[in-house]
Amino acid sequence: MFKRVLIANRGEIAVRVIRACRELGIPTVAIYSEADANSLHVRLATDAFCIGPAPSLNSYLNIPTIVATALTAGCDAIHPGYGFLSERAEFAEICDMHGIKFIGPSAKSMRKMGDKATARKTMIKNNVPVTPGTGIIKSLDELKNFAHEAGYPIILKATAGGGGKGMRVVRNDDELETNMTLCQQEAEKFFGNPNIYAEKFLENPRHIEVQIIGDSYGNVIHLGERDCSIQRRHQKLLEEAPSPAIDEKTRQEMGAAAVRAAKAINYEGVGTCEFLLDHDGKWYFMEMNTRIQVEHCVTEMISQVDIVREQILVASGEKLSHTQDDICLKGHAIECRINAEDPDNDFMPCPGKIDGYLAPGGFGIRVDSHVYAGYTIPPYYDSMIGKLICWGENRKQARRRMYQALKEYVISGIKTTIPFHQQIVEDEVFKSGEFNTGFIEDWYRRQNELKTKEE
Ligand code: MV4
């Protein structure tokens, strides 16, 4: 087992990883920026080092400083969390070169999935369904041929993109050339790689993702799916497991496809295969996230597997503690992301001091957060200040428990997304389970209609 683990992250995920290390008896080293001196991860870690000023580029993204800190502090492993350096293959390589275990997949696996056109090719070879699409586009003619073959609408994507960045929908021939040029220019500008590819565009699909874990002996298991369709501008707001749209047969097939995808690239560690589910129940691989994700908790709640613990164990060379047959999904879990944002003002970030704080509690309720009464949210990082996760025997119980827990949750002094989540979990369409990635847009349209009727 590791002697000492450095956590190259902040916020709730740093706290989550430190807790897992403490349970395993592993000393931890927190790093923090000048803006995070009062964060909970600094208090919970065995040791903590300030590594620079507030801006991420000078602190949580500063590879030389982080690696030097790890070596000075006697760490033999680094956990990257999510965001920041978690999907940077060169960071994994640098860790390797210094004899530090990067708690995640190899740089090689990361690169195979980081390039989306390569990932598509790998999936096709391994019998994982992908949408009709192209390789890297070399000419307008080639793109036009595909558009006519597949039929409009199509979507153009940067091969170095992902998570919704660098995409353009095209609905007819007239829009094709300008969109191709713009997409290539944006890809170059944002990712330093102008390559783009095209896919048939699915209107308002559901976003379903499958959690996998692999060890260094070639064993890979899946822990079922999460439904992440409730999102706004590619920011997830609420996630749940299992998906109300997936039956047992589809779960097995999608799970097996995710395991094939992971095995195809010798995947080691925790990862997620993202799929889109269309209106007639067909599903397609989109991309793989090669890190622990924010929403891993809903899977933990229904699988009883401590995913972060398992991630650390497999990174240290242990075999998976579970076989696929050991995995038994039970009940339903919902997670609400609590953000310091004003839902009435276009989700504008609202950093500031939390002057009152009382988290909900009781059976089936979990709060993962780094904040407390008196804590000041710095303006430099993302606005998520915690996650509220509720488990129930079934979806209705989980949803009702969530509603009560949201009402119990007190965070005063700043605006948060708590009141917004209360409305969502009480919404009739949400209750029915029949929603897709167009839900939030549609919800605002319905709210406006109600307001207009009142007048
Ligand atoms: C798509 C799509 C429709 N058709 N690809 C956005 C995130 C990235 N992983 C893939 N994304 C999409 N790709 C095809 N061929 C629609 C989206 C998409 C979306 C996907 C998941 C969740 C929310 C979304 C919101 C808008 C668009």
Side-chain angles (χ1 to χ4, degrees), residues 131 155 157 162-165 167 199-203 205-207 228-229 231 234 274 276 286-287 437:
T131 47
I155 183 167
K157 298 183 177 183
K165 283 176 276 210
M167 308 187 331
E199 289 180 359
K200 172 86 189 152
F201 181 68
L202 312 172
E203 302 272 5
R206 284 182 90 118
H207 175 139
C228 305
S229 302
Q231 53 80 45
H234 302 297
E274 178 191 320
L276 295 186
M286 283 292 125
E287 53 191 73
T437 49

Side-chain angles (χ1 to χ4, degrees), residues 357-378:
Y357 185 85
L358 184 62
F363 187 85
I365 292 180
R366 166 174 172 184
V367 176
D368 274 23
S369 175
H370 63 289
V371 311
Y372 51 85
Y375 176 79
T376 300
I377 301 152

